[in-house]
Amino acid sequence: MQFVFTPIHKVLYASKHALHSVKTTLLLTLSAVLFFSLNATAQSTNGTIKGTVKTSDGNPAEFVNIVLTDTKLGATAGQTGHFTIKNVPAGTYTIVASYIGLQTQTKTVTVTAGETATVNFVLTEGAKDLQEVYVKSAKHNKFLKKETEDVARLPLKNLENPQVYSVVTSELMKEQVVTCYVDGFKNIPGTGVPLVYNNGRTTLLSRGFVTGNFIRNSVAGYNFNSIDPADIEKIEAIKGPTGTLYNSSLASFGGLFNRVTKQPNEWAKTEIAYQTGSFDLNRLTADINQPLNKERTILFRVNAALHNEHSFQDAGFNRGFFVAPSLTYHVSDRLTVDIDAEIGNSNATSAYRLAPDAKGKTYNVKDLGIDYKRSFANNGVDYLSRQIDLYSLVNYKISESWKSQTMFNKTFSTTKGMVTAFTLVDSTKQIKRQVTQEDYPYYITNVQQNFIGDFKIGHFRNRIVAGVEYYNQKSNNTNVTVNTPAINYLDPGAAYNSFTADKVSTLVNAAAPKAGDYVQNNQSSYAAYVSDVFNITDRLNAMASIRLDRFVNKGAYTPADGKTTGNFSQTAWSPKFGLVYQVAKDQISLFGNYMNGLNNVTGSSFDNTPFKPQYANQWEAGIKIDAWDHKISSTLSYYDISVTNTTMVDPDHPAFNIQAGTQLSKGFEAELIANPVSGFNIIAGFAYNNSKITKGDASVEGLRPANAGPARLANLWMSYRITHGAVQGLGFGVGGNYGSDSYQTNTKTFKFTIPSYTTVDATVFYDQPKYRIGFKLDNLTNEKYWSFRLAPQNPTRGTLSMSVKF
């Protein structure tokens, strides 16, 4: 049978002639796909065997060999424990699961032509025992978890995916005694020093662009407050403009960070952990997993944390409570429902934020002479934050080739209290302290519907995801900003203690009301998208994706004067293309991609022409390696991102902007995850980024944007775990991070430099089936270094972690 169009061709063809009807386009695409799929299946004379291999405690068991006896057919379980044996002639077989050092298991399976039989194995050994077998046989790279369906929303292996991404696992974060979410990003190339905002919200770098933490389990997880790592299974850093499959308002032109949470499994398991250490750290966490019925179709898991920590400075603290319950209900073989929540409350002081004096004569933070341990704050000037986030996911298996995925989430996040910001007056060596009394709630609604297919057209494998998404974000901001008397930052004297909540409240109460003291914001986006991966051969595949976005911003409404400003609407297309060729099957692949991202821009030019969306276009090429029985995994890539439609001052009308600015961000990234010898694991990364404003305001044209961070960043972590003998389970780890010089301000008239830094961390641990003890030292050399907001980072810090498992 010959076909004129593949599904993605139909979408592109229809989109040219029916832009007014996204619904029609998607229906045509899905109809065509279903037609081809059913015909291809009907012609098949063979069947397929799929299944999973798990340990007795519910964890996936990789590398296990699956063989049909008396045939040459078989497979090996992947990192998620899944295996597939295709083109199996109809009949009844004996199927065997085996691995050196483990007990062999045997089952019987019947294969029907054109259908898929499912066989699942559960090894009597636990994950701990299996891990020891892996390490002893030099076949376990314990920090390698690259196989994920989150990045492409499809069953796509890393070597098949033309996009670059990094994954930080919960196992790695446990080894590094991570008690703060952003500490896990030390293992991702190019992320730099975290930027912490007044309410605990954090951003990091990705390819020279500031990138937030607003994605959870591949959908909107907008959290205006800090993120607790208690329920994090892994962190995925997806690189480059990702406007095709993700909401552009939640990502940057450099990429996005997706936090994947822990989900219930079929085996009862509990782990209680306690961490204590420097700066009065006291942290208690619990991870409890329990099936709720004997059939193990209703599964429950809850992760919780109590956290209390002071700053290394003379004032500052963070006290919080967090709980994340989750429920999975396997209604039938076809239908699964997941419901989970994140509920948290915290009380904290603002993150340190300092702005230099642009008219001053000091150009480096080290030269200011400010005491590193002075906070210039007071523990009474604090705020309260709260989050109540609800999520649901419904997976329905339509057929052997198609499934439906429906996601809904509703999140609430708020900050109420006093947040601070400091500014220097260099000529008088003074610091001005500003306080905003605010109540800032965010309300987010996100609905997403996906149809995911995996089928053949003739001999060609086709994997496709098509979906629609609705996103709405509302906020009601009440705020009053006041300034307290400036003090000398070198010798503040008694005036240092004048920064109190009572004095701030007095100033707030005396402030004259303004229309902007209470502002309501409301914005929505509507999107439709389709992405197709087409296997030209078993080694060569092509990806094509496209997304249509309709963005509606109702503007900022101030009830005091009844005015609305900044309201606008924009519609934009975002395409993506990729090509992958496996030079050595399942070991080495060459890849290239073109990706597009967008950012909606408010405002208009002097002649009232509405601004268009800002676009980023990325070209990238590189190599991915997963070789030597998974002991070596590496990605090397070169990228070039050009940004257009950036706003800049109109030279003919200085009070207005025009959309003529451009920016270039290009560079090289390298990542290595290795297990060269038994028990020894390495994670290493390097990122070089060359960012430049190629056309813009005269004050910055030709310069590196200050918020692009260091041009060079490197990370390294090495650990060794003894795998046999009397001290089996004893391990050691050492690593560090490096960042080159960067700027807080970079203009032709004023530059303020943040110096380079090198930090070294080390850990020792003893891991046993029923308990674990670990001790970590961060910043061994007591390096002084700063974030983009000139916030001093932690000096040497020790953390002791103890956990029991049952």
Side-chain angles (χ1 to χ4, degrees), residues 489-510:
Y489 62 76
L490 295 179
D491 185 18
Y496 189 77
N497 298 320
S498 65
F499 193 67
T500 66
D502 288 341
K503 292 187 177 182
V504 170
S505 296
T506 299
L507 293 172
V508 169
N509 292 333

Side-chain angles (χ1 to χ4, degrees), residues 506-564:
T506 299
L507 293 172
V508 169
N509 292 333
K514 304 184 299 295
D517 289 349
Y518 178 55
V519 182
Q520 298 177 348
N521 293 277
N522 187 350
Q523 63 183 48
S524 300
S525 64
Y526 309 82
Y529 48 87
V530 61
S531 180
D532 186 27
V533 176
F534 187 79
N535 277 81
I536 302 169
T537 71
D538 64 342
R539 296 193 180 198
L540 177 64
N541 65 267
M543 173 187 284
S545 315
I546 196 163
R547 179 185 181 105
L548 173 64
D549 265 300
R550 175 64 175 172
F551 182 79
V552 180
N553 189 335
K554 294 185 178 180
Y557 171 67
T558 49
D561 57 13
K563 293 181 179 179
T564 298

Side-chain angles (χ1 to χ4, degrees), residues 2-11 13-14 32 36 457:
Q2 293 183 345
F3 303 102
V4 178
F5 299 101
T6 62
I8 189 61
H9 292 149
K10 282 215 167 193
V11 172
Y13 177 84
F36 295 146
I457 300 177

Side-chain angles (χ1 to χ4, degrees), residues 225-302:
N225 306 317
S226 59
I227 297 171
D228 196 286
D231 74 332
I232 301 298
E233 182 63 36
K234 58 184 176 179
I235 302 169
E236 298 174 339
I238 305 173
K239 302 298 185 73
T242 54
T244 305
L245 295 178
Y246 294 91
N247 188 318
S248 61
S249 63
L250 303 178
S252 79
F253 291 151
L256 62 87
F257 304 126
N258 179 35
R259 63 186 190 274
V260 180
T261 61
K262 298 175 182 177
Q263 297 298 311
N265 56 58
E266 297 177 5
W267 306 100
K269 178 182 178 182
T270 297
E271 182 170 354
I272 308 295
Y274 172 70
Q275 289 91 27
T276 186
S278 303
F279 322 133
D280 304 316
L281 172 67
N282 281 283
R283 179 177 170 83
L284 180 67
T285 62
D287 182 356
I288 303 169
N289 186 86
Q290 181 67 50
L292 299 183
N293 61 350
K294 64 180 181 180
E295 295 82 11
R296 301 180 188 271
T297 57
I298 304 177
L299 312 173
F300 177 75
R301 187 170 187 174
V302 61

